C-alpha cells in the first residue's frame, strides 16, 4: 500500500488567510524553518492505479493537480475510486462540492456524517444532477468491508471504521445531539500483505477503542492539531481548549505523545497540524520532543510505502 499525503494542515491551512499568529507571519515572510501546508487529505492505493482519498479538503483541486497519479487517463476519467470521510467538518468534506462536474462519485461515511452533509443542504443538489452521481456507502464502526469504486472492481484494500471521541461539525452544533458516529478513525488493511494503516486525523481523546485500533498497525497517522491544550487562548486566538474542539493535545501529561509512548507501531506520523502548533517549526523543542518519541510530522507530498 502506498500512502501519499496531499495535505497535512488542520482547518484553515498553513498559513491561514486571516491569521497573523507568529507561525503564519513567519511562514509568509520566509523567516521560519517551516513549510506551508494545505488542509488535510491523504491518497492511498494498493496498485497505484485506483486511489482512495481520506477526506476531501477545500483545496482538493490543487491537491489533485499536484499529484499526477490522480490525473485523468481519458477525456472524462478519474483514478479516484472513492472518498472516505472521517467526520463532517468542512475542512474534511467541502471538497466534495468541488468534484461536481457530473462525475460519478463513491463516498464512504457513517450515516451521521452523510446525513449531516446531505440534509437541509441546498448546495448538495449540485451533486444530484443525476440519481447515480453520488453513491454513499455506510461506514459502520466495527464492520470491515472491501473498498471499491463505482465499477465494484476489487481494490485490494478494506476498511474498518472505529468510533473516536469527537463532536459534530461546528455548523451542526446545537441542531442535533452529539453521536458516537460523528467522528471515526479508519483501519485500512491491504489484502495481499495484511498491512494496516490506522488513520486518526481527529481524536478528542485516547479511548480504549482508539488505543486498540492503533496497536498492531504498521503505520499510524494521528491527530497533531494542537501541541498544548490552551494553545489558542494562550495566543489570544479564542477561548476554546483543544479538547473542546475535539482534539487531544500532543504535549503535556495527558497528551498523546505521553499516552502513546508504548505504541509498538514502527511508523508514527502526526497529521492535521494547526497553523499555531510549534511542531510546524523544524527547529522547535516541540519538534525535537516528537522526534525523540519516534514521531514524524506529515508534510504535503510525503509518501509512505507499507
Ligand atoms: Zn479538521
Ligand atoms: Zn496562524
Amino acid at each position: 500500500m502506498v500512502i501519499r499525503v496531499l495535505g497535512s494542515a488542520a482547518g484553515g491551512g498553513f498559513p491561514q488567510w486571516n491569521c497573523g499568529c507568529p507561525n503564519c507571519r513567519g511562514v509568509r515572510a520566509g523567516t521560519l524553518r517551516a513549510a506551508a501546508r494545505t488542509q488535510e487529505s491523504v491518497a492511498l492505493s494498493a496498485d497505484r492505479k485506483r486511489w482512495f482519498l481520506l477526506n476531501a479538503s477545500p483545496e482538493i483541486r490543487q491537491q489533485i493537480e499536484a499529484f499526477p497519479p490522480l490525473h485523468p487517463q481519458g477525456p472524462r476519467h478519474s483514478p479516484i475510486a472513492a472518498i472516505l470521510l472521517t467526520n463532517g467538518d468542512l475542512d474534511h468534506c467541502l471538497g466534495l462540492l468541488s468534484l461536481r462536474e457530473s462525475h460519478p462519485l463513491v463516498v464512504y461515511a457513517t450515516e451521521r456524517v452523510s446525513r449531516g452533509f446531505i440534509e437541509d443542504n441546498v448546495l448538495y443538489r449540485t451533486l444530484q444532477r443525476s440519481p447515480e452521481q453520488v453513491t454513499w456507502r455506510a461506514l459502520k464502526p466495527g464492520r470491515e468491508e472491501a473498498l471499491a469504486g463505482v465499477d465494484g472492481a476489487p481494490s485490494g484494500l478494506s476498511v474498518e471504521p472505529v468510533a473516536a471521541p469527537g463532536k459534530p461539525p461546528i455548523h451542526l452544533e446545537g441542531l442535533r445531539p452529539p453521536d458516537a458516529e460523528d467522528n471515526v478513525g479508519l483501519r485500512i488493511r491491504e489484502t495481499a500483505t495484511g498491512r494496516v494503516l490506522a488513520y486518526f486525523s481527529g481524536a478528542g481523546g485516547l479511548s480504549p477503542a482508539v488505543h486498540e485500533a492503533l496497536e498492531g498497525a504498521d503505520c499510524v497517522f494521528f491527530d497533531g492539531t494542537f501541541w498544548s491544550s490552551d494553545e489558542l487562548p494562550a495566543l489570544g486566538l479564542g477561548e476554546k481548549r483543544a479538547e473542546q474542539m475535539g482534539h487531544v493535545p500532543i504535549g503535556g501529561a495527558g497528551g498523546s505523545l505521553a499516552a502513546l509512548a508504548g505504541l509498538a507501531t514502527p511508523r508514527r506520523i502526526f497529521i492535521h497540524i494547526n497553523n499555531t502548533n510549534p511542531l510546524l517549526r523544524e527547529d522547535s523543542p516541540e519538534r525535537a520532543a516528537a522526534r525523540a518519541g519516534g514521531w514524524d510530522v506529515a508534510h504535503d507530498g510525503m509518501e509512505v510505502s507499507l
Side-chain angles (χ1 to χ4, degrees), residues 10-11 40 89 91-92 247 272:
E40 177 234 327
D89 291 348
D91 57 315
H92 298 168
H247 301 290
H272 193 271

Side-chain angles (χ1 to χ4, degrees), residues 97-119:
L97 294 176
S98 294
L99 304 181
R100 66 187 177 280
E101 282 79 17
S102 298
H103 194 88
L105 298 174
V106 175
V107 185
Y108 290 83
T110 64
E111 205 187 328
R112 280 286 292 195
V113 169
S114 59
R115 285 177 55 191
F117 190 78
I118 293 168
E119 287 177 1

